[in-house]
Amino acid sequence: MKKFFTLLLIALVTSVAHAQLNENLITFKPFTAGNNPLVFNCEKCFMYVVDNKGKMVCDESIRQFKDGTRFSTRLKTGSTTSRSSQIFLSIKAKGTLTIYASSSSSENDRQIVVLKGAHDVITDVLEQTNKRPIRLEIEKVGEYQISYPDGPINIYGVRFEEEQPATMSE
């Protein structure tokens, strides 16, 4: 009986730790074109999309990034950033934003730009083969836009980790 409760406790702790790890990560469940849920949430950050032409889809696709994070689905933007295809992030704290994305082309790299208002915060290149997450320090809360000016991209996930206040040591 003691072994049973020990195993039950280990399973409970593991599931709680797993849930805490993923509360900062936005991932996607599969959906077909025109059936986009529009809003995706995680702690201190939510992502909303504009998809007026119904081109965004989410399908199953296994990808592991260089930091070890593994995904089983991807959000496919289906076009370049325009009035009918946009992705916004509302960030409610200072911290680190990590975007797990790649070019949707097997032959061409694509540019990704994160904007705050009309100002570029970061511009980077998404390579199909690199599998490197894009990291950005968020110094100001507010609205950000993920822009993909060169063509469609695939977004596997978005992680936001809130900056932890410094603790006073005794």
Side-chain angles (χ1 to χ4, degrees):
M1 187 65 124
K2 185 176 177 182
K3 287 182 182 180
F4 172 75
F5 286 116
T6 303
L7 289 172
L8 184 61
L9 180 62
I10 290 170
L12 180 61
V13 169
T14 302
S15 68
V16 169
H18 181 70
Q20 289 175 342
L21 176 66
N22 289 329
E23 73 182 9
N24 299 327
L25 182 65
I26 295 173
T27 56
F28 312 99
K29 292 186 179 180
F31 60 84
T32 57
N35 296 308
N36 191 332
L38 303 178
V39 176
F40 306 93
N41 293 298
C42 75
E43 183 72 21
K44 300 290 184 190
C45 172
F46 73 90
M47 183 174 104
Y48 56 99
V49 300
V50 175
D51 183 24
N52 294 334
K53 301 226 177 186
K55 290 187 174 186
M56 289 188 190
V57 299
C58 180
D59 64 3
E60 294 181 0
S61 177
I62 304 294
R63 174 153 290 205
Q64 184 165 337
F65 284 79
K66 286 186 176 181
D67 68 353
T69 306
R70 183 179 167 95
F71 297 93
S72 60
T73 60
R74 64 183 171 188
L75 173 67
K76 297 166 66 174
T77 62
S79 66
T80 60
T81 306
S82 66
R83 287 181 187 239
S84 62
S85 178
Q86 300 177 60
I87 299 175
F88 296 95
L89 296 170
S90 181
I91 299 177
K92 300 175 179 151
K94 292 180 180 181
T96 303
L97 177 68
T98 306
I99 302 170
Y100 296 92
S102 71
S103 170
S104 66
S105 169
S106 61
E107 300 168 4
N108 298 313
D109 296 341
R110 300 276 164 79
Q111 189 176 41
I112 185 170
V113 180
V114 177
L115 303 137
K116 174 129 177 70
H119 304 288
D120 289 10
V121 179
I122 189 171
T123 300
D124 209 329
V125 174
L126 297 174
E127 301 166 355
Q128 183 61 26
T129 58
N130 193 355
K131 300 179 185 173
R132 169 185 55 87
I134 307 297
R135 286 198 170 73
L136 170 64
E137 293 301 317
I138 300 296
E139 300 295 327
K140 295 181 180 179
V141 299
E143 304 298 311
Y144 290 79
Q145 180 181 12
I146 298 174
S147 178
Y148 30 98
D150 296 340
I153 63 173
N154 298 326
I155 299 176
Y156 292 83
V158 176
R159 181 184 306 278
F160 180 74
E161 294 171 339
E162 184 177 6
E163 180 180 284
Q164 298 301 315
T167 57
M168 301 283 289
S169 58
E170 297 180 279

